[in-house]
Amino acid sequence: KAIQEQAATLMHVSNLYGAPMPYMLRLTMDGIAIHGSDVDYGSATHGCVGVPEEFAELLFSEARLGDRVLITNRWRTDVYGA
C-alpha cells in the first residue's frame, strides 16, 4: 500500500542524493518510491521505481492513501484480465 499522502508540492528532492523526484509517491518509509524519472538506458533511480514524468503525474493525481500497489515485470492476466 502507498503509505504517504500526496505531498503539498509536486517536486520532491531526495535528501540522500539531491536528485529531483517529481510526483513522488512513497511506498516504504526507508526511501522506496514511484516518481517521474528519465527512463532512458543508463539512467538510474537509486532503487526507486522510475516512470516517465507524464505517467508519474497521472499516478500522482489518481493515487489515494491506502491504495494497493502491485509492481510486476509483466502484465498480470490473473489481476487485470486478458
Side-chain angles (χ1 to χ4, degrees), residues 1-78:
K1 291 184 178 184
I3 60 173
Q4 180 185 24
E5 291 189 56
Q6 295 176 354
T9 177
L10 301 180
M11 179 57 78
H12 177 77
V13 176
S14 167
N15 58 1
L16 293 175
Y17 304 106
M21 299 169 65
Y23 306 104
M24 189 268 289
L25 295 166
R26 187 176 302 282
L27 297 175
T28 70
M29 290 310 294
D30 61 349
I32 305 300
I34 299 172
H35 62 81
S37 178
D38 181 358
V39 294
D40 291 331
Y41 181 78
S43 298
T45 63
H46 300 91
C48 291
V49 178
V51 298
E53 193 165 325
E54 183 176 300
F55 184 64
E57 182 179 11
L58 174 65
L59 284 177
F60 190 87
S61 69
E62 296 295 323
R64 300 292 174 255
L65 181 63
D67 283 352
R68 292 189 179 270
V69 176
L70 176 65
I71 299 171
T72 180
N73 65 351
R74 62 179 175 81
W75 185 259
R76 297 280 310 266
T77 56
D78 58 320

